[in-house]
Amino acid sequence: MTLIVQKFGGTSVADTKKILAAARKAVRARQDGNQVVVVVSAMGHNTDHLIELAHEIADEPPAREMDMLLSTGEQVSGALMAMAIHSLGHEAISLTGAQIGIRTDSTHTKARIKSISTDRMRRALDQGRIVIAAGFQGIDEEFNITTLGRGGSDTTAVALAAVLGADVCEIYTDVDGVYTTDPRILPEARHMARISYDEMLELASLGAAVMHNRSIEFAKKFSVPIHVRSSFSDTVGTLIATEPEAPDHPVAGAALVKSEARVTVLGVPDRPGTSYAVFSKIAAQLIPIDMIVQNVGADGRADISFTVDKADLAKTLAAVAEAVQQLGAEGFTHDENVSKVSVVGLGMARQTGVARRMFRALSMAGVNLQMISTSEIKISVLVSGAEAQTALRTVHQAFHLEQAPASAVAFDPRQIARTRDGEDALAIVSRLQQMEDLTIDDIELDETQARLSINGVPDRPGIAAAVFDEISQAGIFVDMIVQSIGREGRANLSFTIPQSHYAQGLKLLDDLAQRMDCGPITSSPKIAKLSVSGIGMRSHAGVAIRTFECLAQAGINVEMINTSEVRVNVGVDGQRGPDALASLQRAFAENQR
Ligand code: ADP
Ligand code: ASP
Ligand code: MG
């Protein structure tokens, strides 16, 4: 018998009428002959209200008690949902995370799932009941209630679908699918028929809050097809699965994170271990680091820029001040009014000129790029908060995201097929002691690239666009691009190109630097690029730090770095590639699959 997991978000269970409407959807799926598991969020803004109550009492309420409090929201909607299904003449049973046996670690308010027991759910399903699971919660070894982090009911739903071997996980929400960008920010956003796991994973962590990013990690790891659709209609939504909507299209979607803060550590001595020294201090404060960009300066000193959530800025600056003193760096700057705009697409990995198109459009719109970080399938730029919406609209237009690609493959919900059956998934689960463990797929070494850097770039719109216009017209394929703010507000822009184009690229850049009043050019004819790829790369913030740590221990200097949801890329001294590969392989041995 087919098994469907249906998840209803906060707005979809905001009042009893909506709960009854959701119950009807569950009953209909049951009547169609499916076994049905329903995962519920707290009603409406209940979680927000509970948080407000806690903060009326204490600035920093104990995390354990926060979880006791927050988990009640989902228990309320679960019980009401079960009652609603009963009232429609069907059998249902509501269960809390603890009653199901969702075991997590003890990191209160952002716990990770360790294991899920299927026994109780299976028994109820076999008795013909609809199982209602409270989303977003579990218990730790000591039977303390834990929660999975804001938006975590998506993760509960996909995790249950994974362990039960469900045929599909339906996410019912207040939009009728995934759009090319948040339709609340840009009304011209387009409804997508499908999107790949990798693209959704990147978009979710780059600001597209329609799905909790960790739910996509589960979906990818266990091949769970997700159907995101509206609670308020029966229209077909968006399929999240392995394949993208239009494989030949460079960009699938765009996203915005409004409230970031940028920190730049200036003039860091360019020797092994310095990045590690900075980031380990911040990690010790449990602050998640977002965009990391580093590049070497002309004087053998490096500038390291990164972003954190605005709320974490004060603590971050304290940690950075310590690191600066310890390292003998020149100082640090920060900006608390910046936003990150990103484009994501599987297709850009195989096409040239995608970054150039984005930079050109932003330059025409007069938007200044403070930081740039690209990886295989995403390009992120940091812009001032005031320019955020313009920047998002500009890139959305530049890639014609409002129009459906001619090659778009439609989605027919009757043809959803799981590529992996339930037993297989369970076998994987037992292999992974902790279901949300970091999984490294591959560590690659690319020794074909050279690095070019242009220093002292004036802080005004259009420089990156000019550089990549010329590079691209010369037919040179650009791989990694990083730009960060440096000293005196001037930026450093570094990128990698094939070694065969090194001399040509260098000459081009030299001419350009003279015309554009930029500082000196630095370069390496050979740089070794290492890519650590897998699942959980950013949500396990330690990956970048472990990369820095192991390279520091091996005495290998990091020249360039960029991170994404599925990859950490570092550029190191061209002679040290094999050593770097060996030490990374040792460092991540236990996470390799
Ligand atoms: P729920 O309470 O059902 O979990 P959320 O508020 O978490 O709902 O997610 C739905 C919201 O996500 C939408 O209302 C929309 O504004 C926002 N959103 C952000 N990015 C996107 C996107 N790319 N496509 C669709 N919705 C998006
Ligand atoms: N109720 C929780 C929240 O608001 C979990 C969720 O809805 O996914 O974050
Ligand atoms: Mg949500």
Side-chain angles (χ1 to χ4, degrees):
M1 196 189 270
T2 45
L3 196 156
I4 296 181
V5 174
Q6 299 184 325
K7 178 253 172 182
F8 294 92
T11 31
S12 312
V13 292
D15 55 39
T16 46
K17 241 171 122 180
K18 293 198 171 108
I19 291 179
L20 273 160
R24 273 185 220 105
K25 288 201 189 282
V27 164
R28 193 153 17 116
R30 182 75 195 93
Q31 282 169 335
D32 287 345
N34 304 293
Q35 292 190 321
V36 181
V37 174
V38 174
V39 175
V40 286
S41 285
M43 294 171 70
H45 296 288
N46 192 13
T47 309
D48 295 328
H49 294 316
L50 293 172
I51 294 173
E52 275 164 30
L53 284 180
H55 286 123
E56 279 174 28
I57 289 178
D59 286 342
E60 284 194 42
R64 180 188 181 279
E65 303 311 325
M66 268 323 262
D67 280 351
M68 281 296 276
L69 181 68
L70 297 189
S71 65
T72 61
E74 272 66 13
Q75 192 173 333
V76 170
S77 36
L80 291 173
M81 181 69 77
M83 292 174 195
I85 291 172
H86 279 279
S87 78
L88 296 171
H90 283 259
E91 291 285 314
I93 178 172
S94 67
L95 299 169
T96 63
Q99 287 172 324
I100 293 172
I102 300 184
R103 294 278 175 178
T104 70
D105 63 18
S106 304
T107 327
H108 285 290
T109 75
K110 36 182 177 287
R112 285 179 177 279
I113 297 176
K114 289 173 118 180
S115 65
I116 299 177
S117 154
T118 52
D119 298 351
R120 181 130 190 215
M121 287 186 290
R122 281 261 180 243
R123 248 182 292 137
L125 290 169
D126 290 342
Q127 289 161 357
R129 291 165 145 182
I130 295 175
V131 171
I132 320 291
F136 163 70
Q137 55 178 270
I139 45 163
D140 74 0
E141 290 302 321
E142 306 283 305
F143 298 95
N144 295 302
I145 294 179
T146 53
T147 64
L148 308 180
R150 296 306 306 269
S153 296
D154 295 333
T155 296
T156 305
V158 180
L160 293 185
V163 291
L164 290 167
D167 295 86
V168 60
C169 180
E170 296 184 331
I171 302 287
Y172 287 93
T173 182
D174 60 359
V175 271
D176 60 358
V178 179
Y179 280 66
T180 48
T181 196
D182 188 342
R184 273 193 242 181
I185 307 181
L186 292 191
E188 67 267 36
R190 181 183 63 83
H191 180 269
M192 303 171 78
R194 17 175 116 222
I195 183 168
S196 67
Y197 292 130
D198 284 338
E199 289 164 332
M200 192 66 238
L201 191 52
E202 288 289 352
L203 281 173
S205 11
L206 294 168
V210 60
M211 292 296 297
H212 193 227
N213 63 347
R214 277 161 51 198
S215 70
I216 309 299
E217 293 182 352
F218 266 105
K220 181 178 174 188
K221 202 182 276 182
F222 300 103
S223 303
V224 179
I226 299 178
H227 182 180
V228 182
R229 57 193 309 190
S230 168
S231 288
F232 312 123
S233 78
D234 285 326
T235 53
V236 175
T238 303
L239 174 70
I240 309 176
T242 308
E243 298 301 325
E245 187 185 41
D248 56 342
H249 250 230
V251 172
L256 171 65
V257 180
K258 277 203 174 114
S259 58
E260 298 246 303
R262 175 196 48 88
V263 180
T264 301
V265 188
L266 297 168
V268 180
D270 190 23
R271 59 177 147 77
T274 47
S275 308
Y276 176 61
V278 174
F279 292 120
S280 59
K281 284 235 161 15
I282 301 165
Q285 301 294 318
L286 300 178
I287 300 167
I289 303 162
D290 184 21
M291 214 171 156
I292 300 178
V293 170
Q294 165 182 329
N295 48 28
V296 261
D299 54 359
R301 285 186 166 242
D303 299 319
I304 303 174
S305 292
F306 57 91
T307 60
V308 291
D309 195 274
K310 223 187 239 181
D312 290 327
L313 181 63
K315 271 191 188 167
T316 307
L317 292 179
V320 165
E322 244 182 69
V324 163
Q325 224 191 3
Q326 208 178 62
L327 291 171
E330 283 167 24
F332 59 97
T333 59
H334 74 274
D335 185 343
E336 53 192 298
N337 189 19
V338 287
S339 302
K340 181 175 62 176
V341 175
S342 311
V343 298
V344 170
L346 281 183
M348 73 174 70
R350 294 180 303 272
Q351 289 188 28
T352 55
V354 182
R356 165 188 167 233
R357 203 155 132 196
M358 175 165 175
F359 301 154
R360 173 52 60 209
L362 289 168
S363 148
M364 306 286 275
V367 176
N368 190 31
L369 309 183
Q370 302 191 11
M371 260 167 86
I372 300 173
S373 172
T374 69
S375 84
E376 281 66 8
I377 68 162
K378 70 118 211 244
I379 304 167
S380 293
V381 296
L382 201 68
V383 302
S384 77
E387 289 175 322
Q389 175 135 1
T390 309
L392 182 69
R393 172 157 283 141
T394 303
V395 299
H396 199 268
Q397 276 167 0
F399 293 103
H400 304 297
L401 297 185
E402 69 292 342
Q403 289 166 22
S407 56
V409 181
F411 160 45
D412 179 353
R414 289 165 306 185
Q415 288 174 350
I416 286 186
R418 269 178 67 81
T419 44
R420 185 181 278 143
D421 63 25
E423 254 186 79
D424 252 337
L426 287 177
I428 297 172
V429 173
S430 61
R431 206 151 39 82
L432 292 163
Q433 274 175 347
Q434 298 208 342
M435 285 181 64
E436 290 200 69
D437 265 0
L438 169 71
T439 314
I440 302 289
D441 291 327
D442 212 356
I443 304 179
E444 285 163 82
L445 167 63
D446 174 358
E447 297 192 282
T448 65
Q449 312 240 4
R451 171 184 63 85
L452 297 179
S453 304
I454 175 161
N455 296 278
V457 174
D459 191 21
R460 58 175 152 82
I463 310 276
V467 169
F468 295 109
D469 272 351
E470 297 213 9
I471 294 284
S472 161
Q473 270 156 27
I476 302 176
F477 187 84
V478 177
D479 182 28
M480 227 168 134
I481 303 175
V482 304
Q483 179 190 293
S484 68
I485 292 232
R487 278 152 278 176
E488 288 141 27
R490 289 192 158 228
N492 295 331
L493 173 63
S494 296
F495 54 95
T496 62
I497 58 171
Q499 276 154 23
S500 52
H501 283 117
Y502 176 69
Q504 189 192 1
L506 193 58
K507 163 124 196 16
L508 252 167
L509 208 58
D510 253 330
D511 295 347
L512 210 113
Q514 280 180 14
R515 269 183 282 140
M516 305 210 90
D517 174 35
C518 295
I521 305 290
T522 58
S523 62
S524 309
K526 182 175 175 193
I527 185 168
K529 177 182 160 194
L530 293 122
S531 300
V532 184
S533 60
I535 297 177
M537 307 295 289
R538 190 144 51 197
S539 60
H540 287 267
V543 178
I545 291 172
R546 259 158 78 187
T547 303
F548 289 135
E549 184 182 16
C550 96
L551 293 174
Q553 278 167 0
I556 298 170
N557 197 17
V558 176
E559 291 185 25
M560 270 172 101
I561 170 138
N562 61 24
T563 56
S564 77
E565 206 48 47
V566 290
R567 253 172 217 275
V568 172
N569 293 320
V570 289
V572 305
D573 178 349
Q575 307 310 317
R576 302 294 308 272
D579 294 348
L581 181 64
S583 49
L584 284 171
Q585 262 158 351
R586 271 195 306 277
F588 290 105
E590 64 191 44
N591 305 103
Q592 295 239 34
R593 76 164 144 208

